[in-house]
Amino acid sequence: YEHIDEVNTGTMERPLEATRMENSTSSCFLMERRTRVKINRKEVMLAKLRKSCSCTPKKLKNFVMDFLPVLRWLPKYQCKEYIWGDVMSGLVIGIILVPQAIAYSLLAGLKPIYSLYTSFFANIIYFLMGTSRHVSVGIFSLISLMVGQVVDRELLLAGFDLNDDAPSAWGDGSLQNDSQSNSTAFNLTVAGMNAECGKECYAIGIATALTFVAGVYQVLMGIFRLGFVSMYLSESVLDGFATGASLTILTAQVKYLIGIKIPRSQGHGMLVITWINIFRNISQANLCDVITSAICIMVLVTAKELGDRYKHKLKFPLPTELVVIVVATLVSHYGKLNEVYASSVSGAIPTGFIPPKVPHFNLMLRVAVDALPLAVVSFVFTVSLSEMCAKKYAYTIRANQEMFAVGFCNIIPSFFHSFATSAALAKTLVKTSTGCQTQVSGVISAMVVLLVLLFLAPLFYSLQKCVLACIIIVSLRGALRKFQDVPARYHVNKVDTLIWVVTMSASALISTEIGLLVGIVFSMLCIIVRTQQPRTTLLGQIQNTSFYEDDLEYENLSSVPKVKIFRFEAPLYYANRNYFLKSLYRLTNLDPNLEAARRKKYEKEKQHLKKGDHTTANGLGMRETTLQLVPKQNDFQALVVDCSSISFLDTTGVNTLKEILKDYKDLNISVLLACCNPSVTDSLKRGGYFGKDCGSMQEMLFYSIHNAVPFKTIIFKNYCCVTGFILQ
């Protein structure tokens, strides 16, 4: 009783904010909650608004320096220490960029010149605005595919033939005749474009409008601090999305590998439809393209494997793609493969720059929905790669500024006939392995692309499209190798593996955009299901300690006499309320509602027996019926709920705990809560769980399970002594 009086004294002193704790010597002390300082949110918001709206020279300078980070780090550039690594990595990336840019134009459904523009402008703008020193921003296969799907769809809706392989009307290889080159026999009035515009003109119009809108979305996300959107793209979703898109990319390139002409499939199920068309037309395969593809793939794969094996000995990666393109172009030109064997070639690539043009507003309205997943994917890949590099090389990036940087890498180039960009993993890894130190390497890469744009582009006229397809397919090795990781992934986490499979399948078999949406929704559903049916268990005491663990998982645990300890490993809210109750009743082997009904019926039959009525409606004797209805003897007198895994309670959760408190109290069983975090405690207080003025809080809430168990044991022993019962 002395112990109880001590507890009650503490309760009187601090009835609301104290939580009782006990140590092994049964002494008692109180842990007081901090008093929260009330914040006037209106005043805080007004102060922030006044601060943000004020304009001083210092604030203006900081704004400009934050918006253009190059102004901060370039004056501190250590030329002797950094210049060699930056020049070397910039040259290597530039050499890789040229063939990849030309190849990825096939994915985007655009001419190679636009891919070169994209690579040039993206590197310059990221140099000015980016905060990551090592990320390579430019043309990316996955983004090119997403752009190409929108371009193809809009071309079909406009009445163009996607398989129109007519010679390009670039004239003499310069851009002087651009107004004539962009016009064909089509007089279009599409999406408000009331002008004579050909297929190439309309295709790049769609791509620039899509790119501009995606960039605007990214800038708006930066302004409104919506970077949290990337949290919903888990690693499993991103990997599955990339792998599924890689299968789509591979499928789209097969027709170039074997030199057949099949319609470019659009819409859902594009992968399956394309493969059906490939097998239907396999007899029309161009033998020259097949042989060229086989040789190129063999050379590229062998060089990649050797490069991976001996990368620690190589100072920089082998420029295999460039060598293959140069050799293949020379062989095609002097062997006249286009004229003799009808092998499809890249055609004329002009030099110079097309005059800038504002993306058409009406086209923006047509692609506004398509731009949203493009913006999110581009941002997520860029920020994730930036954070990876920053962590590896011990510096910090600003995720919000990265969103602005990639947004303006889309907005500004869209005026110069470029399409969407993103950070690319493969080129970023090459950049870091070749000694890159700062964003200066991006300027060097841009200069290499500029050299091709101004002087060397026409030399790629005879380059076969099958060679470009080989470069694209070999670049997908990393994504396709994810299939080898499935057993290891399954061993680590089965649910994440299922998310990967669902996202990959949806991205490949339906479409990339829907696949991404399916992956996000499915991963959220998996989280919801796991909270709806979490793990539940009864705990036992580890011998001679104050710790308690799962009875089913560990051996040699001691059960506490007359006490059941129940753990629920999830938040308690409306969706898992019923599961909580069912699990509790099943594990304790006692449903208080059924037991209360049984006892009520027993009392009723007992009253009949006293009145002398010895038969019942079912024909059984009263004594036989009474024996059947004898109340079940409870094997426990206290239920301790371990709340350590309950992160929050909603109104339904609080009412559920109040319900079991009342139901078990009717059976003379106490319900004690242990290990509640402050938010759970506050929810219980607001819900009136501890009674009026929280007067019973000290007898119902405990800091640990071990505090709750001895307390109940003392109460129960004293109760038994007073009532004259002897505990066995």
Side-chain angles (χ1 to χ4, degrees):
Y1 289 108
E2 183 180 349
H3 179 83
I4 300 172
D5 290 339
E6 184 181 2
V7 172
N8 289 335
T9 303
T11 305
M12 293 295 292
E13 291 175 357
R14 298 176 179 87
L16 291 178
E17 298 297 328
T19 301
R20 195 181 78 262
M21 296 181 61
E22 301 172 42
N23 59 20
S24 57
T25 61
S26 297
S27 62
C28 176
F29 63 93
L30 295 165
M31 189 171 66
E32 244 183 309
R33 290 281 298 276
R34 290 181 182 272
T35 303
R36 293 184 181 179
V37 179
K38 291 186 178 180
I39 300 173
N40 190 325
R41 297 185 182 275
K42 183 179 178 180
E43 290 183 2
V44 171
M45 290 182 66
L46 288 174
K48 286 184 177 180
L49 192 61
R50 283 193 295 269
K51 185 178 178 181
S52 60
C53 292
S54 62
C55 184
T56 62
K58 184 178 180 181
K59 285 193 67 175
L60 185 61
K61 179 184 175 181
N62 288 335
F63 173 79
V64 174
M65 300 278 274
D66 289 340
F67 189 71
L68 297 173
V70 66
L71 299 177
R72 290 189 185 275
W73 62 263
L74 191 59
K76 303 174 184 177
Y77 188 80
Q78 301 175 21
C79 189
K80 291 183 179 179
E81 185 178 348
Y82 294 158
I83 191 65
W84 173 248
D86 284 339
V87 170
M88 196 66 193
S89 64
L91 287 174
V92 172
I93 293 298
I95 291 171
I96 293 174
L97 263 178
V98 172
Q100 282 195 353
I102 297 173
Y104 289 166
S105 63
L106 296 178
L107 292 175
L110 301 168
K111 291 297 179 182
I113 187 67
Y114 302 124
S115 300
L116 293 171
Y117 291 157
T118 302
S119 299
F120 172 75
F121 286 109
N123 277 283
I124 295 296
I125 295 170
Y126 192 80
F127 162 76
L128 298 172
M129 299 187 65
T131 59
S132 175
R133 304 172 192 171
H134 300 88
V135 159
S136 177
V137 174
I139 195 165
F140 182 36
S141 59
L142 186 55
I143 301 298
S144 299
L145 173 69
M146 298 176 73
V147 171
Q149 289 177 337
V150 178
V151 168
D152 288 349
R153 184 195 69 206
E154 293 300 321
L155 286 175
L156 279 175
L157 292 175
F160 287 106
D161 181 9
L162 294 182
N163 304 297
D164 183 12
D165 291 326
S168 175
W170 286 110
D172 60 357
S174 70
L175 296 176
Q176 297 174 356
N177 302 327
D178 182 53
S179 60
Q180 290 83 7
S181 67
N182 280 341
S183 54
T184 66
F186 292 94
N187 279 316
L188 292 181
T189 308
V190 179
M193 293 182 68
N194 192 9
E196 193 172 308
C197 183
K199 176 183 173 183
E200 292 175 16
C201 165
Y202 191 62
I204 190 60
I206 291 293
T208 54
L210 178 69
T211 301
F212 181 85
V213 177
V216 170
Y217 285 157
Q218 289 166 335
V219 171
L220 290 176
M221 289 167 69
I223 292 173
F224 293 106
R225 310 281 178 174
L226 298 180
F228 68 89
V229 172
S230 64
M231 294 188 298
Y232 296 103
L233 297 176
S234 65
E235 182 180 346
S236 299
V237 171
L238 284 175
D239 282 350
F241 174 64
T243 306
S246 298
L247 292 176
T248 304
I249 294 171
L250 186 149
T251 300
Q253 302 309 303
V254 172
K255 70 174 185 178
Y256 298 110
L257 285 182
I258 60 179
I260 61 175
K261 297 187 185 302
I262 58 174
R264 293 176 68 173
S265 303
Q266 276 294 301
H268 305 332
M270 170 268 216
L271 184 139
V272 176
I273 295 171
T274 302
W275 278 107
I276 291 173
N277 289 330
I278 288 171
F279 285 113
R280 283 179 178 172
N281 296 273
I282 195 72
S283 59
Q284 302 174 11
N286 187 304
L287 186 60
C288 176
D289 285 344
V290 172
I291 295 173
T292 303
S293 299
I295 294 172
C296 289
I297 288 178
M298 183 176 65
V299 171
L300 288 167
V301 170
T302 303
K304 293 290 184 183
E305 292 296 329
L306 290 174
D308 291 344
R309 182 174 297 181
Y310 298 107
K311 61 183 177 182
H312 58 284
K313 296 182 179 179
L314 298 173
K315 292 185 178 179
F316 56 87
L318 299 173
T320 314
E321 291 92 344
L322 186 63
V323 173
V324 167
I325 279 185
V326 171
V327 172
T329 302
L330 292 174
V331 171
S332 176
H333 177 73
Y334 290 106
K336 297 183 178 180
L337 301 184
N338 178 244
E339 295 83 354
V340 177
Y341 300 103
S343 180
S344 181
V345 296
S346 298
I349 303 177
T351 56
F353 287 91
I354 301 175
K357 185 179 179 182
V358 178
H360 204 282
F361 180 74
N362 288 335
L363 291 180
M364 294 181 198
L365 298 179
R366 294 180 66 89
V367 298
V369 176
D370 303 290
L372 185 58
L374 185 69
V376 172
V377 171
S378 172
F379 156 69
V380 169
F381 274 101
T382 301
V383 171
S384 59
L385 284 176
S386 299
E387 289 176 344
M388 180 188 76
C389 293
K391 184 178 180 181
K392 183 177 180 180
Y393 293 96
Y395 62 91
T396 59
I397 65 159
R398 288 185 286 129
N400 214 53
Q401 178 61 26
E402 286 296 300
M403 195 180 292
F404 284 127
V406 73
F408 281 101
C409 280
N410 288 324
I411 291 176
I412 297 174
S414 67
F415 291 86
F416 297 90
H417 308 276
S418 302
F419 56 91
T421 58
S422 170
L425 175 61
K427 291 193 285 290
T428 298
L429 295 177
V430 171
K431 204 171 181 180
T432 56
S433 66
T434 51
C436 172
Q437 299 293 329
T438 66
Q439 295 93 314
V440 170
S441 63
V443 178
I444 306 299
S445 300
M447 294 303 105
V448 175
V449 176
L450 181 63
L451 182 66
V452 175
L453 277 170
L454 295 179
F455 305 108
L456 304 179
L459 300 179
F460 296 104
Y461 177 91
S462 300
L463 178 60
Q464 294 167 273
K465 288 185 177 179
C466 64
V467 176
L468 300 177
C470 291
I471 292 173
I472 292 173
I473 289 174
V474 173
S475 71
L476 300 175
R477 288 186 318 141
L480 296 176
R481 278 180 173 172
K482 296 289 183 182
F483 286 103
Q484 297 178 354
D485 300 335
V486 172
R489 188 188 294 269
Y490 182 81
H491 178 72
V492 173
N493 193 301
K494 296 178 178 61
V495 176
D496 283 349
T497 307
L498 182 60
I499 293 171
W500 182 88
V501 170
V502 169
T503 307
M504 182 272 299
S505 302
S507 300
L509 299 177
I510 305 175
S511 71
T512 51
E513 294 85 356
I514 291 180
L516 181 64
L517 180 62
V518 167
I520 295 172
V521 172
F522 186 74
S523 63
M524 290 182 177
L525 287 176
C526 288
I527 294 173
I528 292 171
V529 169
R530 279 194 275 187
T531 60
Q532 279 187 311
Q533 295 187 339
R535 181 177 176 79
T536 56
T537 184
L538 289 181
L539 305 184
Q541 185 178 13
I542 302 175
Q543 294 181 7
N544 302 320
T545 70
S546 59
F547 302 106
Y548 298 78
E549 263 306 338
D550 188 346
D551 257 335
L552 299 177
E553 293 292 330
Y554 297 95
E555 297 180 352
N556 302 321
L557 297 181
S558 303
S559 59
V560 181
K562 298 296 180 180
V563 177
K564 296 281 188 182
I565 307 170
F566 175 72
R567 175 184 288 169
F568 187 74
E569 299 181 359
L572 180 55
Y573 66 113
Y574 69 93
N576 60 16
R577 171 191 184 277
N578 291 334
Y579 185 78
F580 174 87
L581 294 174
K582 288 179 182 179
S583 301
L584 176 62
Y585 299 159
R586 174 176 53 83
L587 291 173
T588 59
N589 197 27
L590 177 65
D591 184 336
N593 297 312
L594 294 178
E595 183 63 21
R598 184 196 299 269
R599 293 190 178 191
K600 192 176 292 185
K601 194 168 184 179
Y602 169 73
E603 292 297 331
K604 187 176 180 181
E605 297 293 347
K606 197 173 179 182
Q607 293 295 328
H608 281 291
L609 186 62
K610 286 181 179 180
K611 292 178 180 180
D613 186 1
H614 297 282
T615 59
T616 60
N618 58 10
L620 293 175
M622 182 61 68
R623 293 185 182 276
E624 295 174 353
T625 303
T626 305
L627 287 174
Q628 292 180 0
L629 294 174
V630 171
K632 182 179 178 181
Q633 294 298 317
N634 301 328
D635 59 347
F636 65 101
Q637 298 295 331
L639 172 66
V640 178
V641 180
D642 177 11
C643 301
S644 58
S645 299
I646 300 178
S647 56
F648 68 87
L649 297 172
D650 68 351
T651 304
T652 304
V654 174
N655 290 336
T656 301
L657 291 178
K658 290 171 70 176
E659 179 184 328
I660 65 170
L661 177 66
K662 177 182 178 299
D663 292 343
Y664 280 107
K665 186 178 181 181
D666 293 341
L667 302 180
N668 294 322
I669 297 175
S670 300
V671 176
L672 310 176
L673 304 182
C675 306
C676 294
N677 64 48
S679 68
V680 170
T681 304
D682 291 341
S683 297
L684 292 171
K685 288 179 183 178
R686 290 192 297 267
Y689 180 84
F690 301 113
K692 191 174 182 180
D693 298 329
C694 298
S696 304
M697 181 174 174
Q698 305 306 316
E699 286 79 31
M700 301 169 68
L701 181 66
F702 294 83
Y703 184 75
S704 69
I705 298 173
H706 199 60
N707 294 148
V709 171
F711 178 79
K712 187 59 198 173
T713 304
I714 291 171
I715 296 291
F716 184 65
K717 284 181 178 178
N718 289 328
Y719 169 78
C720 292
C721 291
V722 170
T723 54
F725 287 103
I726 300 175
L727 289 176
Q728 298 296 329

